[in-house]
Amino acid sequence: ASTVFTIDLRRPMGVELSVNKSTAILALFVPKVGDGKLSSKTIVVDAGHGGHDSGARAPDGSATEKWMTLAIAKELSRALVSEGATVVMTRNDDTFIPLKERPAIGNRINADFFISVHINSNSPNRAATGGMAFYHGHDPISQLLAECIQTEIGKVSKLKSIGALSDFKLYDTGLAVLRLSYGPAALIEFGFINNPNDRARMLSKDFQTQVAAAIVKGLKVYLGNAD
């Protein structure tokens, strides 16, 4: 026999479930920043790679991750600023920023959110498609953030939405930019650069504008504004 409990919440919350023999404990975590608005928030937007670190490359040489992430990051910054947020970009040109310095930028200013922008690749297989968002380990707050953002991106990207995943699926210690971030953090992989359809979609201005707006919406949903 099984029992199903339905809990209606007025706003998104992080969830942690632990089961020990016949006992199940459900813990709900309320995000510490949550008035539904971005106007008082400080957000770090991290365009992945840069400088000598080009990141993933298209097989035909037509695109590199460092330029694609920068284009999306700039769109995201503009969209956030228009909502009244304070945005700090880890880079706004073709500059190399050391991996540990990226989350450190957010930590030094006590940023409310850290959003890292990336493009995926699994060369030479060109069949993989879709976007996903990563959070660190088993952190329920960052998981909630990643889920809110990826849900909204999936509505507009026109690419498969793989969902929000723990970075433990990639590495035993997770991703450095997420692991070293003090506050809620998410890393977004928008699609696969080695998939021609994904690549063409991600390179379009329409995609960049729409996913930027989707991230803004995801942040607002996380903050309790579902309008």
Side-chain angles (χ1 to χ4, degrees):
S2 62
T3 302
V4 177
F5 292 93
T6 301
I7 303 175
D8 292 324
L9 303 173
R10 295 183 63 182
R11 56 157 303 161
M13 293 187 185
V15 177
E16 184 175 82
L17 177 65
S18 58
V19 179
N20 183 14
K21 295 183 179 180
S22 61
T23 302
I25 300 175
L26 179 68
L28 300 179
F29 296 82
V30 181
K32 293 181 180 179
V33 286
D35 59 5
K37 299 179 181 179
L38 290 168
S39 57
S40 61
K41 305 303 183 290
T42 300
I43 303 167
V44 172
V45 175
D46 174 42
H49 306 279
H52 69 265
D53 177 13
S54 64
R57 293 176 177 269
D60 61 2
S62 63
T64 57
E65 183 177 6
K66 69 175 183 177
W67 290 113
M68 294 171 71
T69 59
L70 185 59
I72 295 173
K74 286 183 175 181
E75 285 292 336
L76 175 57
S77 179
R78 283 190 284 267
L80 289 168
V81 168
S82 71
E83 292 284 337
T86 298
V87 176
V88 176
M89 297 185 69
T90 57
R91 68 180 183 96
N92 57 15
D93 56 20
D94 186 22
T95 301
F96 173 74
I97 307 295
L99 198 60
K100 292 182 179 180
E101 174 61 14
R102 294 168 185 264
I105 290 171
N107 295 339
R108 286 196 293 268
I109 62 175
N110 196 30
D112 295 294
F113 301 106
F114 180 91
I115 308 297
S116 191
V117 175
H118 285 260
I119 306 297
N120 217 337
S121 176
N122 68 335
S123 183
N125 178 11
R126 301 186 183 187
T129 181
M132 64 197 81
F134 286 98
Y135 56 91
H136 180 58
H138 305 295
D139 176 16
I141 294 298
S142 288
Q143 179 179 357
L144 175 63
L145 176 65
E147 288 174 347
C148 289
I149 290 174
Q150 184 57 36
T151 295
E152 297 304 321
I153 291 175
K155 294 176 182 179
V156 302
S157 71
K158 299 181 181 178
L159 299 176
K160 177 183 177 181
S161 179
I162 299 171
L165 308 171
S166 169
D167 59 0
F168 282 179
K169 291 184 176 294
L170 299 177
Y171 306 104
D172 290 342
T173 58
L175 296 165
V177 293
L178 300 182
R179 182 178 69 252
L180 299 175
S181 294
Y182 294 163
L187 184 148
I188 306 162
E189 298 273 11
F190 289 95
F192 288 82
I193 197 171
N194 55 303
N195 181 305
N197 294 328
D198 280 26
R199 183 169 67 254
R201 176 66 179 139
M202 290 187 292
L203 286 171
S204 69
K205 184 68 173 180
D206 178 63
F207 176 90
Q208 295 162 8
T209 301
Q210 290 185 351
V211 296
I215 294 171
V216 170
K217 177 65 183 298
L219 285 166
K220 293 169 75 172
V221 170
Y222 169 91
L223 291 169
N225 181 356
D227 295 337

